[in-house]
Amino acid sequence: MSQLLGKELTKDLFNLLKGENVASKLGKAIVIVTVDDKGWPHPAMLSYYEVVAKERSRIDLAIGKTSTTTKNLRRTGQITLLITDSGINYYLKGSAREVKESMEGVPFMSLFRVEIEQLLEDQEPDAVITSGVTFSRPQKKEVGEIIEKIFQGLRREP
């Protein structure tokens, strides 16, 4: 059963998402959910390179500017992030607004700013989360360079 923690990130969750030591999170995904035009939940995934907490009440996201997720956010402004990994499981609900349609250096990505409206923790004492969603990708120089541009673009934003 989830427990409402408030309208801002815990200290530990802020430290996890503030964009430091991001290489240690390589291959880990954050599931996000928007609402499509028919009212259905629309899941998608972002890497830790595409999510940076600027304050305990605000998170910036880099999302493909022509994606269904971006279209949903432009229409509804509602998003839920699932931050799940070994020993942690949070649901973050927020209002998202597009700050930049095209990010500098990565014009195919849009920048969204999420103001946190609810942070919930869901940890059952007898059912400990052992991992989150993970992925692997080929180690190609050009892919790594794009990922780094996206991440640096997020970090540069005030």
Side-chain angles (χ1 to χ4, degrees):
M1 183 165 160
S2 60
Q3 173 186 2
L4 179 63
L5 299 181
K7 292 186 172 194
E8 60 181 39
L9 302 172
T10 65
K11 182 181 176 184
D12 289 341
L13 190 52
F14 176 69
N15 287 334
L16 179 70
L17 297 175
K18 69 181 177 180
E20 293 179 357
N21 197 20
V22 74
S24 69
K25 299 165 192 82
L26 188 65
K28 295 184 179 190
I30 295 173
V31 176
I32 63 173
V33 181
T34 58
V35 180
D36 72 16
D37 57 359
K38 296 193 183 341
W40 287 95
H42 174 77
M45 289 186 273
L46 297 175
S47 74
Y48 279 82
Y49 285 88
E50 297 164 306
V51 178
V52 175
K54 298 301 180 91
E55 300 171 7
R56 288 180 59 180
S57 61
R58 174 172 69 102
I59 297 175
D60 285 356
L61 308 175
I63 302 174
K65 80 177 197 178
T66 61
S67 68
T68 300
T69 297
T70 291
K71 291 173 188 166
N72 292 342
L73 288 175
R74 287 175 180 151
R75 193 183 70 260
T76 70
Q78 296 177 314
I79 190 167
T80 299
L81 289 83
L82 287 71
I83 299 139
T84 304
D85 202 348
S86 180
I88 65 168
N89 192 42
Y90 293 98
Y91 311 134
L92 186 157
K93 297 179 183 184
S95 298
R97 66 179 175 83
E98 191 171 27
V99 176
K100 288 187 177 177
E101 183 181 354
S102 293
M103 291 177 61
E104 185 179 328
V106 281
F108 52 89
M109 300 296 284
S110 292
L111 172 66
F112 283 87
R113 183 152 291 153
V114 177
E115 299 293 333
I116 299 169
E117 294 186 17
Q118 288 186 340
L119 176 66
L120 299 109
E121 183 177 27
D122 193 359
Q123 279 289 336
E124 295 296 326
D126 295 329
V128 177
I129 303 292
T130 57
S131 73
V133 177
T134 59
F135 64 94
S136 65
R137 73 175 51 163
Q139 297 298 314
K140 295 181 179 176
K141 182 180 176 187
E142 59 274 5
V143 172
E145 289 171 353
I146 291 170
I147 292 167
E148 189 62 29
K149 282 182 183 179
I150 293 168
F151 179 63
Q152 292 307 322
L154 278 175
R155 289 198 48 135
R156 271 194 302 273
E157 284 299 315

